[in-house]
């Protein structure tokens, strides 16, 4: 994946087993977000393949990816400020909705029923993330930690089979990070999770496998314990720290 | 502080809402029987513009796309109805869906390539459409009657209804407007309404949520075109005559003014904006012709700077003074516990930007 002269990802190759939590780490600018953007088809890599559940993702238009069960959060938030918190979460859940222009214009019974079902689903997720009391508020104007949780709620409401989390813990207080880790723990099994995080404690604790990116290349793959000992990883992190 | 507090979705809330709708309908039905034929004629024009403005309001307010060429769709709708009634035996009622279908198709044909364009480019291309409409109408003489225009046989008053022609045209337009506004409300709520706002304010979120952005934009553009087409068809009914000078470039700006002054993307705004563009120039023109332009311009600037949300937004704020609608919360007062300081932009990276009304 290149942006003009910048090569953000090159020759990256790794697989994620269904049902596992895969930690994806690397120094700033390593290409983690860009990788997510490729999987969710917000950008198109110039070469390579991305396969999910037997489907070639690069052959699909962006809006079809959600129907495969892929949901993500955005590092810098991707909420719709003009919608209420509940509507933001319902937006995440509505990808299967059959309410097109004609059906919506007439507000056919199935449109109403679909809307009720979506609302129930969103409310359940809001409840689970303790967001019920802000459900009716506009997303704009809430504290950052709350927005991060709404972002996660939107992704969870899609009932994904592949959940891409881009730095869900950044900007959260200590206690909130632990809650988040507990929550990801409960998702395990329902969905395959790819977790991008700078919060090492959390990544090492949750991940079955860890993939380390640096300058757009995979420099290590393995269990948390293996990766922690890997000289290349140590060099990358110490190198950027120095 | 508000005078009354009602809980959203409660019986009282619903009663208030339906009461308002019923009262509005009653007033709208009573007006033609208590006014002059010329005022009824003007009010019928208000309805024509209100339909067109409702469509344009969805496009601008919900999808954040500015069309400067909406008058062209209005013209095509008017001419479609006029030509069908003047040259065929078609029942007038069928002229309405015909005008809608033609303008919808035109919107699709035009929208598919145009919606690859963003912001200023879309505005310019639609402007070109508006500029071209007049000359095309003049040239296409066999269908449009050229410069001299077309006489339209107006819908006759049905035998079972003891009303005058002006009252009938008003009531007929009112019924059509009511249906069109109801459809507009339906389109802008639920999943589709959320999709539209997401496309405007958070396109990345929209795309990852499985929304086919290009398709929705194109269909909305065509739908807005069809609204203008129906408005134009009503206009042809109301005047009984169509000629190119009714559909100048100014018409496109008039419609856009109606949308902005009335309040973007709201049904009430479409009606209020239409009242504004029909009546304000009339009263201003009585004082001085030049005053119309000044008042128009002044009102637009005032709305943009002082009245975000337009006239409908003002009404909403006034209503809030009287009636406070609160969410049903199990633990009342809990909402106040949420700190509102330390806020962050929620849309993320600049890619999430768009036209924000
Ligand atoms: N749209 C873009 N245009 C140009 N360069 C880009 C673009 N997006 C990302 N890049 C570049 O690609 C590289 C990888 O960026 P990316 O955001 O994927 O890193 P990251 O691993 O997510 O970093 P961080 O930990 O800071 O979030 C960086 O050098 C970045 O500057
Ligand atoms: Mg990143």
């Amino acid at each position: 994946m290149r942006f003009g002269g910048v090569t953000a990802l090159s020759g990256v190759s790794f697989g994620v087993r269904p049902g596992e939590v895969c930690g994806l780490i690397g120094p700033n600018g390593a290409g983690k977000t860009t990788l997510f953007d490729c999987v969710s088809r917000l950008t198109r890599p110039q070469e390579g393949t991305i396969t999910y559940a037997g489907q070639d993702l690069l052959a699909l238009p962006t809006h079809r990816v959600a129907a495969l069960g892929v949901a993500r959060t955005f590092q810098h938030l991707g909420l719709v400020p003009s919608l209420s918190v509940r509507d933001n979460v319902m937006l995440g859940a509505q990808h299967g909705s059959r309410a097109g222009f004609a059906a919506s214009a007439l507000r056919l019974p199935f449109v109403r029923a679909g809307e009720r079902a979506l609302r129930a689903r969103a409310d359940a997720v809001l409840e689970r993330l303790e967001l019920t009391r802000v459900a009716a508020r506009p997303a704009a104007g809430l504290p950052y930690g709350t927005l991060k949780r709404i972002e996660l709620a939107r992704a969870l409401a899609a009932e994904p089979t592949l959940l891409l989390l881009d730095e869900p813990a950044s900007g959260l207080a200590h206690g909130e990070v632990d809650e988040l880790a507990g929550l990801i723990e409960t998702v395990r099994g329902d969905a395959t999770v790819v977790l991008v995080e700078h919060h090492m404690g959390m990544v090492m604790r949750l991940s079955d496998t860890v993939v380390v990116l640096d300058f757009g290349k995979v420099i290590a793959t393995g269990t948390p314990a293996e990766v922690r000992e890997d000289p290349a990883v140590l060099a990358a992190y110490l190198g950027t720290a120095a | 502080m508000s005078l009354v507090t009602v809980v959203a979705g409660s019986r009282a809330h619903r009663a208030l809402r339906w009461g308002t709708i019923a009262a509005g309908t009653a007033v709208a039905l009573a007006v033609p029987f208590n006014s002059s034929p010329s005022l009824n004629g003007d009010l019928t024009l208000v309805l024509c513009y209100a339909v067109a403005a409702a469509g344009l309001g969805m496009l601008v307010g919900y999808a954040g796309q500015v069309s400067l060429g909406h008058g062209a769709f209005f013209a095509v709708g008017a001419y479609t109805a006029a030509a069908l009634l003047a040259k065929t035996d078609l029942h007038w009622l069928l002229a309405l869906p015909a005008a809608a279908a033609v303008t919808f198709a035109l919107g699709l044909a035009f929208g598919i390539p145009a919606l690859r364009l963003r912001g200023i480019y879309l505005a310019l291309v639609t402007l070109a459409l508006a500029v071209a409409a007049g000359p095309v109408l003049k040239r296409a003489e066999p269908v449009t009657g050229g410069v001299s225009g077309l006489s339209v046989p107006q819908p006759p008053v049905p035998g079972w209804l003891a009303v005058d022609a002006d009252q009938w045209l008003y009531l007929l337009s009112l019924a059509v407007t009511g249906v069109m506004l109801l459809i507009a409300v339906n389109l802008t709520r639920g999943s589709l309404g959320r999709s539209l706002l997401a496309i405007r304010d958070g396109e990345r979120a929209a795309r990852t949520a499985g929304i086919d952005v290009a398709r929705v934009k194109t269909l909305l553009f065509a739908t807005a075109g069809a609204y203008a087409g129906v408005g134009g068809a009503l206009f042809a009914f109301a005047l009984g005559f169509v000629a190119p000078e009714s559909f100048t470039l100014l018409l496109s700006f008039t419609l856009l003014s109606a949308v902005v002054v009335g309040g973007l993307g709201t049904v009430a705004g479409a009606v209020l904006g239409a009242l504004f563009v029909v009546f304000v120039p009339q009263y201003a023109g009585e004082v001085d012709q030049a005053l119309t332009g000044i008042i128009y311009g002044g009102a637009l600037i005032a709305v943009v700077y002082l009245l975000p949300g337009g006239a409908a937004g003002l009404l909403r704020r006034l209503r809030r003074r009287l009636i406070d609608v609160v969410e049903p919360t199990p633990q009342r007062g809990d909402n106040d516990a949420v700190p509102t300081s330390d806020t962050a932009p929620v849309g993320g990276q600049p890619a999430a930007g768009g036209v924000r009304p």
Side-chain angles (χ1 to χ4, degrees), chain A residues 4-242:
Chain A
V6 180
T7 302
L9 294 172
S10 99
V12 171
S13 175
F14 67 93
V16 181
R17 277 187 302 277
E20 78 172 356
V21 175
C22 171
L24 179 62
I25 60 173
N28 290 109
K32 306 178 295 289
T33 299
T34 305
L35 187 98
F36 275 10
D37 286 349
C38 291
V39 176
S40 49
R41 296 286 290 103
L42 290 177
T43 54
R44 170 183 279 279
Q46 285 83 357
E47 48 204 70
T49 54
I50 304 173
T51 311
Y52 176 65
Q55 260 283 349
D56 177 8
L57 289 187
L58 298 183
L60 289 179
T62 308
H63 64 270
R64 294 274 304 281
V65 173
L68 288 182
V70 180
R72 72 172 284 183
T73 65
F74 289 94
Q75 181 176 356
H76 300 290
L77 302 171
L79 299 170
V80 183
S82 46
L83 288 176
S84 72
V85 170
R86 180 184 285 117
D87 277 323
N88 267 289
V89 176
M90 287 169 80
L91 182 68
Q94 75 182 32
H95 61 79
S97 164
R98 290 178 301 134
F101 273 73
S104 298
L106 303 173
R107 212 164 159 71
L108 296 177
F110 83 80
V111 173
R112 290 160 186 258
E115 188 70 9
R116 270 195 303 274
L118 272 183
R119 192 183 159 113
R121 202 156 120 189
D123 280 348
V125 176
L126 287 168
E127 179 83 53
R128 183 165 154 205
L129 295 195
E130 292 167 23
L131 288 165
T132 305
R133 69 199 175 121
V134 293
R137 305 247 310 224
L142 292 168
Y144 192 73
T146 311
L147 293 175
K148 277 286 203 189
R149 258 186 302 151
I150 300 167
E151 182 77 15
L152 184 62
R154 192 200 49 212
L156 286 177
E159 295 176 357
T161 50
L162 175 61
L163 180 61
L164 308 173
L165 301 175
D166 199 349
E167 305 201 13
S170 74
L172 296 193
H174 252 301
E176 291 178 312
V177 173
D178 288 340
E179 272 176 44
L180 177 68
L183 192 84
I184 295 173
E185 211 50 83
T186 66
V187 176
R188 184 198 289 273
D190 296 334
T192 310
V193 180
V194 182
L195 173 65
V196 166
E197 213 13 279
H198 286 297
H199 202 286
M200 281 312 143
M202 181 170 153
V203 177
M204 296 301 171
R205 187 176 124 202
L206 290 173
S207 303
D208 301 306
T209 325
V210 177
V211 174
V212 189
L213 275 184
D214 191 22
F215 292 115
K217 291 192 161 60
V218 177
I219 57 169
T221 313
T223 64
E226 285 163 7
V227 164
R228 223 188 318 240
E229 305 297 319
D230 194 298
V233 176
L234 292 173
Y237 272 91
L238 291 177
T240 51

Side-chain angles (χ1 to χ4, degrees), chain B:
Chain B
M1 277 318 292
S2 313
L3 287 177
V4 193
T5 302
V6 296
V7 175
S10 68
R11 185 172 286 180
H13 185 217
R14 260 176 291 162
L16 264 173
R17 172 172 293 166
W18 285 107
T20 313
I21 292 172
T25 311
V27 169
L29 284 172
V31 159
F33 303 103
N34 298 286
S35 79
S36 65
S38 91
L39 183 57
N40 284 343
D42 287 341
L43 289 170
T44 308
L45 285 188
V46 167
L47 296 171
C48 303
Y49 289 136
V51 174
L56 185 59
M58 283 193 277
L59 188 67
V60 181
Y62 278 83
Q65 300 200 297
V66 176
S67 164
L68 298 178
H70 223 56
F73 290 96
F74 194 85
V76 170
Y79 270 95
T80 303
L84 284 173
L85 294 187
K87 298 177 195 275
T88 70
D89 293 333
L90 195 76
H91 191 276
W92 60 265
L93 199 52
L94 294 178
L96 289 168
V102 169
T103 44
F104 186 86
L106 184 68
L108 274 189
F110 190 73
I112 291 169
L115 292 172
R116 294 179 182 278
L117 308 172
R118 278 165 185 269
I120 186 74
Y121 298 102
L122 178 68
L124 283 175
V125 171
T126 53
L127 181 64
L129 187 69
V131 172
V136 169
L137 291 175
K138 285 183 192 152
R139 287 293 163 86
E141 189 147 0
V143 186
T144 64
V147 189
S148 46
L150 277 179
S151 273
V152 186
Q154 288 176 302
V157 183
W160 47 267
L161 202 62
V163 299
D164 297 335
D166 59 292
Q167 293 164 340
W168 161 241
L169 286 172
Y170 170 88
L171 291 173
L172 155 71
S173 304
L174 182 66
V176 174
T177 306
V179 170
M180 295 304 282
L181 294 186
L182 181 66
I183 291 176
V185 169
N186 286 345
L187 287 175
T188 51
R189 60 197 281 192
S191 299
L192 189 56
R194 271 193 298 277
S195 301
L196 295 175
L197 283 177
I199 289 170
R200 188 189 75 189
D201 287 346
E203 192 165 327
R204 288 182 318 156
R207 299 204 302 156
T208 43
I211 296 165
D212 186 346
V213 172
R215 182 189 148 88
V216 172
K217 276 187 182 175
T218 308
L219 285 174
L220 185 69
F221 189 80
T223 303
Y227 268 78
V230 171
L234 291 177
F235 182 85
F237 290 176
L239 293 193
F241 180 74
V242 289
E245 63 259 31
S246 301
F247 309 104
T248 59
L249 190 54
L250 189 63
L251 174 62
S252 292
F253 291 115
T254 300
L255 291 175
L256 198 57
S257 309
V259 167
V260 174
V261 172
L264 283 173
T266 63
V267 161
V271 177
L272 293 170
L275 282 167
F276 175 85
V277 298
V278 170
F279 287 107
V280 167
Q282 271 188 23
Y283 290 117
E286 274 172 26
V287 184
D288 183 351
Q289 280 299 327
L291 197 59
T292 307
I294 296 173
I295 291 191
Y296 244 69
L300 283 179
I301 291 171
V303 165
V304 170
Y305 284 105
L306 305 174
L307 263 190
L314 181 67
L315 273 190
R316 212 176 311 130
R317 282 196 292 279
L318 287 178
R319 194 214 54 204
R320 238 175 254 152
R321 281 278 169 90
L322 297 175
I323 302 161
D324 194 18
V325 179
V326 297
E327 270 297 298
T329 30
Q331 324 99 307
R332 281 291 312 277
D334 212 351
N335 272 353
D336 308 328
V338 180
T340 43
S341 57
D342 180 31
T343 57
V346 297
Q349 285 157 344
V355 183
R356 247 166 245 205

